[in-house]
Structure formats: structure tokens, C-alpha cells
Amino acid sequence: MIKFFRKIRQNLLSEGKTTKYLKYAIGEIILVVIGILIALQLNSWGESKKNDTIRHQYYLQLIDELKENKIYIEEIIQKYSQNISTYNKVIYSLNSQSLTTDQIFNKYSLVNYEYQNIIFHTGTIESLISTGEIKLTPQSIRNKLLDLKHNMDRRTIVNGELNQEYKDRIRLASLSSGGVIGEMIENKTLLNKTISAHVKNSLEDIILSKGAGLWVKNHNEKITVEACSDLIKKIKIIEKLINSELKN
């Protein structure tokens, strides 16, 4: 094809047809420009199709991930709400009655001492951010995904910090009792047994440390329930936006 055009140019020049040559040259330039524009358009179309495929795959992964998080968060809310209810009943009982230290100690045995470190499912969001492919999503979805990730990260950090404070206070109670409290937490069957003499000697300190620890745990669970309820709302909004995109 190039040889063909070159031959035409040479013939026009050899025949002295300068005007026709100029017209031909301009026409050839236009053809080249059109060819480049077509190639760019095809390349742009191909890139757009590729991005559409990547974006669609991410949407499907996000829907699955958000669903997992909703189930996980709802389980946390249910568990923590039950713990809060039990704790409130115990505190109400302690405040409404005149109890001995032994009775107070036994009341605290009704509370759930287990704690939970929160870990959300954020692999897909993290992949979108790290690869920069989050830019493939509309700004409305992109901003909400980043906000969700920020709030999840924040909740994980706060939960971990308060859990550590709770563990430190319960450990202090355990040290005060010579390790007996630690055994009671690990083995709940010991909680209803007679408190040994050396525990009774420092029972008030143990109760104070234990009560402080349980207050921290209860506070953590309360703010976590509130935060998780907000996360559920954010997730539902993102799910609605993504499903709308998938339908288009």
C-alpha cells in the first residue's frame, strides 16, 4: 500500500503536476489522520470494554464482601447487645441491693468475660485502593467505599485498644487474687465454688479491678453496637448503588 502511494506521488512529480501533487498530498495526510483517529477510537473502545469487565468483576466481589460483612456485623450486634443486657441487669442488682463483697463477687460471675477482636472483610476494597482501580467506579460509590473502609479501620483500632485495656484490668484482678480469677475466667465451673481465704483478703481490690474492667468492656460493646449499626446503613447504601450499576 505504501509503495502504491509512493508511485502515485512520483508520477505526479515527474509529470510536473504540482497542483495535483499538493492536492494528493493533502488528501494522503487526511487519510493518515483519519486512520490514526480510527485506531485511537478502536483502542479507546477496547480499553473501555476492558475497564467495564474489570469494574463488573469488582462489583460482584464487592457485593459478596458487603454481604459477608453484614452477616458478621449483625452477629456482633446480637452478641454485644446480649452482653450489655446482662451487664446492665447485674449493675442494677448491685445498685439496688445491699450486698456483701462475696455476693458482689458472685454477681460479677454472671457477666460474660469473653472479648472479641473485630476483623472486617475488606480484601476487595483494599485491592481497589492499592491497584488504583477504584478510579474505575463512579465517584458516588468510590467516596462511600473509602468512607466505609475508614470507619471499619477506625472501629477495629478502637475495639482493639479497649479490649487491651479490659484485659489489663482483668489481669490486675487476677494478680490480686494470686491467679485464682484467671482460673475462674478460663473455667467457669469454678465460679460457684467457695472463694479461697487468700482471695478474700484482697476481695475488695479484686472487685474494683474486675468492675473497672467490665465497665471498659461494656463501654466498648455499647459504642461498637452503635458504630456497627451505622456501618450496616452505609453498606446497604453501597449495595443499592452497585446493584443499580449492574443493571445498567
Side-chain angles (χ1 to χ4, degrees), residues 199-216:
V199 172
K200 283 188 176 182
N201 293 333
S202 56
L203 196 53
E204 291 184 3
D205 289 339
I206 295 169
I207 290 174
L208 287 173
S209 295
K210 201 173 180 188
L214 290 173
W215 182 91
V216 171

Side-chain angles (χ1 to χ4, degrees), residues 96-140:
S96 61
Q97 302 178 52
S98 179
L99 304 174
T100 65
T101 51
D102 283 357
Q103 290 172 326
I104 294 173
F105 189 91
N106 289 330
K107 285 287 183 181
Y108 275 138
S109 70
L110 301 174
V111 180
N112 181 7
Y113 285 86
E114 295 177 355
Y115 65 92
Q116 180 177 356
N117 288 321
I118 295 177
I119 302 176
F120 296 107
H121 306 278
T122 58
T124 302
I125 300 178
E126 290 174 3
S127 178
L128 277 167
I129 295 172
S130 63
T131 60
E133 290 174 335
I134 195 168
K135 293 181 179 179
L136 298 178
T137 62
Q139 188 173 0
S140 58

Side-chain angles (χ1 to χ4, degrees), residues 136-179:
L136 298 178
T137 62
Q139 188 173 0
S140 58
I141 294 178
R142 180 164 66 249
N143 290 343
K144 285 179 171 54
L145 284 173
L146 293 173
D147 179 64
L148 178 66
K149 178 67 166 56
H150 171 76
N151 280 275
M152 284 181 167
D153 289 345
R154 179 60 184 164
R155 180 49 35 206
T156 300
I157 292 171
V158 172
N159 176 262
E161 290 174 347
L162 290 176
N163 276 341
Q164 185 59 51
E165 184 176 350
Y166 162 71
K167 288 190 293 180
D168 291 342
R169 292 181 181 277
I170 292 299
R171 187 179 296 113
L172 179 61
S174 179
L175 292 173
S176 298
S177 65

Side-chain angles (χ1 to χ4, degrees), residues 212-224:
L214 290 173
W215 182 91
V216 171
K217 181 174 180 288
N218 180 66
H219 173 67
N220 185 16
E221 290 173 344
K222 278 184 177 180
I223 61 175
T224 298

Side-chain angles (χ1 to χ4, degrees), residues 183-208:
E183 293 179 20
M184 289 182 174
I185 293 173
E186 294 296 326
N187 187 352
K188 292 183 178 180
T189 60
L190 294 177
L191 290 174
N192 293 323
K193 292 187 176 181
T194 303
I195 303 173
S196 59
H198 71 281
V199 172
K200 283 188 176 182
N201 293 333
S202 56
L203 196 53
E204 291 184 3
D205 289 339
I206 295 169
I207 290 174
L208 287 173

